[in-house]
Amino acid sequence: MSLPDRFSLLVLGQGTTGLDVVSWALRHRGDRVDSITVYGGGSSSPTEKTRSLEASGVEFVYGTELVQGSYDVCVASPGISEFSEFFGSARAASVQIMGEPEFTWRLSPQRWCGITGTNGKTTTTSLTQHLLRSSGMAASAVGNIGMTAISAVDSRSQGDWLVAELSSYQLATTCELHPRVSVLLNITPDHLAWHRSHDNYARAKISLFKNMDKDDLAIVDVEDDGINAYRDQIFVSGRRVLSVSFEDPGTADAAFVRDGVLTVRLADDETSLVSAGELKIFGHHNVINALAASAAALACGATAVGVREGLKVFAPLEHRVEPCGELDGVRYVNDSKATNTDAVLKALTAFPQDRVILLLGGHDKGTPLDEFAEQVAAQVGAVVCFGEARERFRHALEETEGASDIDIAVASDLCDAVDVARSLAGRGDVVLLSPACSSFDEFTGFEERGRRFKAYLQELREHAAEVEMD
């Protein structure tokens, strides 16, 4: 169902996404939009920003999740579950209800590349945009990466690709969204409170492909067990799928490593790119991310020369296996974005020859830890468990067979964990902050956690320099 030529608009949520939709609607009031109503949610209240928008003619309703009235189009913010009473109330009051990416796609459907997965979305989205720009193409990274798609739609240049990082929240309510190139990196249990079940979560991810056909390209990591559990819903008749794996999968469309060189095959036409050793992003998972991004960029029209040059210079993103320098001969790495166990295991592949002291902890997601603890114990030299989740992680590790060979320590908070890690580390070791938890016991988000980690390291360096001068 297309958007009406003119419509009354309901927006659910007054966070960044909701207010970005409102800003777009204000620019188009009178030509596309007749009225703009925002329901902020049960705990909402006026802010300086909403008061300013109210003065511009936007109606705000605070402190309730019972939507009243009738609307042509509703755009729901991603934090509002489709299973919530709030969403259901809005659905009943609206002719159409959708998320912001779906809304934006209907306004401007050309040249979309969609990227999703439990882990690796931001790196792969940023790298795909980078490879397109290295080829001289116009491309904007939008979606869950930071800038909403609706913020970019009015300024899109002719031929500009929107490379959209799409979360399960954003995909759950899509209907007509139809990227021409899409990437699914992995599926591991996450966000189960929002989706109610792992199956709902996985199906939301897979829905990225539902409108794609033989003229498009769906890119999937066939090494991933979570994806392979849904193969029959991904590899369907009439859809063109490219398989990503470290070994050549032997399909007409594939991305893999041959003799150490990243290689992409599109319709049996192969392009050799760069050696895995030339990448500045490390670990098996980042080789897979680079293969997926390269395949996506080439499918969008990037040149082989541009992709090669782009791969060589792309650096790790902040909080994603980000090198933070040395202190007393020990390397420190910030992987604060690793808020689930699968992300931690992927990060550890970046250090196959190193003794790693792993910092685990934060706000406990309640994820099962038995198998995770076994894999951690087999790969690290020591673990420091910190924050709210520290005792559950400590207990899981101590109960793991083989854990007697590693040091297991506890710390109250992040800075204390760094201090404990320093006492366990020797020259040449790696201290890896890859917490497997959200940060909300101590910080406002993984970004604040990662920056505090780096800031504390700098404080320690400065103190060491002062002592040396004395």
Side-chain angles (χ1 to χ4, degrees), residues 68-103:
Q68 297 182 335
S70 59
Y71 307 89
D72 297 318
V73 176
C74 173
V75 178
S77 297
I80 300 168
S81 171
E82 62 177 324
F83 300 105
S84 67
E85 292 184 8
F86 192 18
F87 192 96
S89 174
R91 191 200 302 272
S94 307
V95 177
Q96 301 183 56
I97 187 168
M98 64 197 72
E100 176 266 332
E102 171 93 2
F103 179 68

Side-chain angles (χ1 to χ4, degrees), residues 9 11 19 22-23 25-26 29 35-39 49-62:
L9 176 66
V11 176
L19 296 188
V22 169
S23 295
L26 279 172
R29 188 169 51 183
S35 64
I36 309 166
T37 304
V38 180
Y39 273 71
K49 177 65 174 177
T50 64
R51 291 297 194 201
S52 173
L53 292 169
E54 285 183 287
S56 298
V58 180
E59 180 182 357
F60 278 81
V61 181
Y62 305 103

Side-chain angles (χ1 to χ4, degrees), residues 239-267:
R239 179 184 294 159
R240 184 182 174 201
V241 181
L242 181 146
S243 298
V244 179
S245 66
F246 207 85
E247 302 292 333
D248 185 353
T251 52
D253 295 295
F256 53 94
V257 178
R258 176 188 287 137
D259 298 327
V261 176
L262 277 65
T263 304
V264 174
R265 187 163 58 233
L266 294 172

Side-chain angles (χ1 to χ4, degrees), residues 285-307:
H285 66 298
N286 273 325
V287 174
I288 295 296
N289 292 341
L291 286 168
S294 299
L298 290 168
C300 292
T303 65
V305 171
V307 172

Side-chain angles (χ1 to χ4, degrees), residues 1 29 101-102 149 163 200 207 228 265 291 320 405 410 439 465:
M1 182 186 299
R29 188 169 51 183
E102 171 93 2
V163 184
N200 286 340
S207 69
N228 285 325
R265 187 163 58 233
L291 286 168
R320 295 159 177 86
D405 296 332
V410 295
S439 59

Side-chain angles (χ1 to χ4, degrees), residues 17 100 115 120-130 140-149 162-167 170 314 317 320 337 446-447:
T17 297
E100 176 266 332
I115 297 172
K121 296 186 296 295
T122 301
T123 294
T124 305
T125 301
S126 298
L127 179 52
T128 302
Q129 179 204 33
H130 174 72
S140 301
V142 299
N144 203 50
I145 196 169
M147 181 174 75
T148 56
L162 290 185
V163 184
E165 178 187 330
L166 299 170
S167 71
Q170 293 169 317
F314 185 78
L317 300 179
R320 295 159 177 86
K337 180 63 173 66
F446 72 85
E447 299 94 341

